[in-house]
Amino acid sequence: MTVLLGCIADDFTGGTDLAGMLVKAGMRTVQLIGVPTEPLPDDIDAVVIALKSRTNPAADAVAESLAALRYLQEAGCKQFYFKYCSTFDSTPTGNIGPVAEALMQALETDFTIACPAFPANGRTIYKGYLFVGNELLSESGMRNHPLTPMTDASLVRVLQQQVSSPVGLADYTVVEQGAAAISERFAALRAQGCRFAIVDAVSNQDLEAIGEACADLPLITGGSGIALGLPENFRRRGLLKRDDAADRLPATGGLRAVIAGSCSVATQRQVAVMREQAPSFHVDALELARGVEVVAAALDWAREHIEQGPVLVYATSTPETVRAVQTQLGVERAGLLVEEALAAIAQGLVRMGVGQLIVAGGETSGAVVKALGVTGLHIGPEIDPGVPWTVGLQAGGTSPLALALKSGNFGSEDFFLKAWSRLS
Ligand code: ADP
């Protein structure tokens, strides 16, 4: 079977969010880190290329997105999806509008939707206005975002500023009538010369109806919520199996380890809970700065304990300690020193035979994935909301490595202990 859905996400965690959503909706999905040069693995239904283009200059974001599109077109994808944040993170010059227009031009299509709604996370759209929980976008914390402050909740106005062609609205009076009415509204907007439709949605049922109405659009743009309704379109056409366990991962084995580089509240607790039950090694930022051979010491220590069960290597410290370290070393230097050390420890652990690895911290995960030469992730079963098990795609065909990459504040207290049972 060929790949059905080709997605381009404007940041990494947004890509994971979408990939997880597609897996839950029954599509076997791979997330790739940047535009790949290698062919896709077999037996997947959807691919998400995660870029880092949200706050790049618009021209760069367009160029990267077009390169991603070319890769997806060559892979034979039948429909394309541009994923951005559910709070429509962008500036008056982009990048949502310019990227969407460039993708439309490349796909030779004159109409698409823009729907960042994600009701399960409190992002709803009514009369074209985006709400975050009970507040308008422009009254939510997003109005103070350091890079993409959102000061207007009207998505029609916001998108219109970023594009050259007219933006219309498919409002709730239409959406609540279901897929056929939504399709009719799309046709009417198109006839009026609109090339974009902001689409209202306040529930998953709305997203499913919108998804159905988008079955024939070459390009869809939105948050991850709108992905809910798309797999069913492929099933209706007999292109996607109904009963496939989309979250099944290739088998992995080997030793188990946790690397924690996050100092977020949830990770602090998770580290404390695991420390009570498993051998643990603390990576000290000041020792690293003094040139102590911390990586070698951590690996020597791990060699002694790891055969007996999962081990924990952590840099996680209290806010006071982190502040003291940062005052002495500078924020950036401290962060990099710790990230590089943890990444080197991860490499050593994998060489030692670790085949199942949990990493806590967004930046930390990025550093570890890079050091291990992981170019993509096959998305598997969810451990806790927003954190799936994955299997890393690595150049050179080393034995498969199971990875759980956890954003610092995600996961329950016993995450590091319970996660293993979700691997088959
Ligand atoms: P989160 O997902 O919680 O934001 P990240 O890994 O993205 O976690 O960020 C945590 C940052 O803090 C990393 O750059 C990491 O290297 C750094 N760090 C971790 N431990 C310490 C420490 N003890 N002192 C200073 N910086 C640290």
Side-chain angles (χ1 to χ4, degrees):
M1 255 198 224
T2 53
V3 189
L4 300 172
L5 188 64
C7 312
I8 301 166
D10 68 356
D11 86 336
F12 184 78
T13 47
T16 310
D17 175 13
L18 172 60
M21 186 73 90
L22 291 169
V23 167
K24 271 196 264 183
M27 297 184 95
R28 296 164 302 175
T29 305
V30 157
Q31 177 178 2
L32 302 171
I33 303 162
V35 183
T37 47
E38 287 157 37
L40 285 170
D42 294 331
D43 295 331
I44 55 165
D45 305 308
V47 52
V48 179
I49 296 183
L51 302 177
K52 222 176 159 185
S53 58
R54 183 169 297 165
T55 52
N56 282 358
D60 295 353
V62 164
E64 268 186 68
S65 305
L66 288 175
L69 177 69
R70 272 193 297 278
Y71 178 90
L72 295 170
Q73 282 178 306
E74 275 163 28
C77 296
K78 303 207 173 312
Q79 192 172 38
F80 301 88
Y81 188 131
F82 171 37
K83 153 76 174 71
Y84 37 79
C85 190
S86 62
T87 42
F88 214 72
D89 299 15
S90 51
T91 68
T93 52
N95 291 335
I96 295 175
V99 169
E101 280 193 315
L103 295 174
M104 286 167 85
Q105 195 182 358
L107 288 166
E108 295 177 6
T109 179
D110 64 356
F111 187 78
T112 190
I113 66 158
C115 182
F118 192 178
N121 277 0
R123 274 60 157 165
T124 53
I125 308 171
Y126 185 70
K127 300 287 179 191
Y129 287 81
L130 179 59
F131 290 81
V132 178
N134 295 327
E135 293 168 318
L136 281 168
L137 174 68
S138 47
E139 291 168 18
S140 75
M142 280 306 295
R143 73 186 187 284
N144 299 317
H145 190 281
L147 302 174
T148 51
M150 301 303 290
T151 53
D152 187 354
S154 162
L155 295 182
V156 175
R157 273 196 306 258
V158 171
L159 184 57
Q160 190 64 79
Q161 259 197 302
Q162 298 178 22
V163 296
S164 54
S165 33
V167 178
L169 173 66
D171 85 357
Y172 199 68
T173 54
V174 171
V175 172
E176 69 173 348
Q177 294 175 53
I182 300 168
S183 297
E184 260 175 52
R185 177 71 183 148
F186 289 169
L189 287 171
R190 211 169 183 161
Q192 289 164 24
C194 287
R195 299 189 62 188
F196 291 91
I198 301 290
V199 190
D200 280 358
V202 301
S203 67
N204 283 350
Q205 200 184 331
D206 296 336
L207 290 176
E208 278 163 22
I210 297 164
E212 190 180 340
C214 290
D216 294 321
L217 295 184
L219 176 71
I220 291 159
T221 89
S224 60
I226 196 75
L228 262 185
L230 300 181
E232 201 51 36
N233 293 334
F234 297 117
R235 283 196 196 97
R236 266 185 222 109
R237 291 175 183 176
L239 297 170
L240 181 67
K241 281 189 237 156
R242 217 159 263 284
D243 54 353
D244 222 12
D247 66 358
R248 198 182 300 128
L249 286 175
T252 55
L255 304 169
R256 294 172 166 176
V258 178
I259 291 185
S262 160
C263 301
S264 296
V265 178
T267 303
Q268 302 260 8
R269 281 199 230 103
Q270 289 154 351
V271 165
V273 168
M274 185 164 181
R275 278 183 63 194
E276 283 173 16
Q277 303 200 26
S280 59
F281 183 97
H282 184 235
V283 171
D284 185 321
L286 294 178
E287 280 188 2
L288 285 170
R290 284 202 303 274
V292 177
E293 300 278 341
V294 176
V295 173
L299 293 173
D300 286 344
W301 168 88
R303 220 166 274 118
E304 277 176 34
H305 295 94
I306 201 157
E307 299 282 348
Q308 287 88 55
V311 299
L312 167 67
V313 177
Y314 67 103
T316 311
S317 299
T318 60
E320 300 75 48
T321 310
V322 172
R323 261 196 301 278
V325 168
Q326 288 175 336
T327 309
Q328 206 167 322
L329 304 178
V331 176
E332 202 172 322
R333 174 147 182 259
L336 273 180
L337 265 178
V338 173
E339 282 167 36
E340 279 169 13
L342 294 180
I345 291 168
Q347 277 178 319
L349 289 173
V350 169
R351 275 198 292 268
M352 210 179 281
V354 166
Q356 300 179 338
L357 178 67
I358 298 174
V359 186
E363 294 298 327
T364 309
S365 294
V368 167
V369 157
K370 197 165 167 207
L372 295 176
V374 172
T375 54
L377 302 167
H378 195 127
I379 308 291
E382 192 168 67
I383 306 163
D384 268 335
V387 200
W389 269 113
T390 71
V391 167
L393 309 174
Q394 281 161 298
T398 38
S399 48
L401 174 67
L403 283 168
L405 304 174
K406 190 189 78 70
S407 173
N409 259 330
F410 283 12
S412 63
E413 281 194 2
D414 58 348
F415 185 92
F416 296 157
L417 302 173
K418 76 174 184 188
W420 314 107
S421 66
R422 299 285 285 131
L423 278 173
S424 48

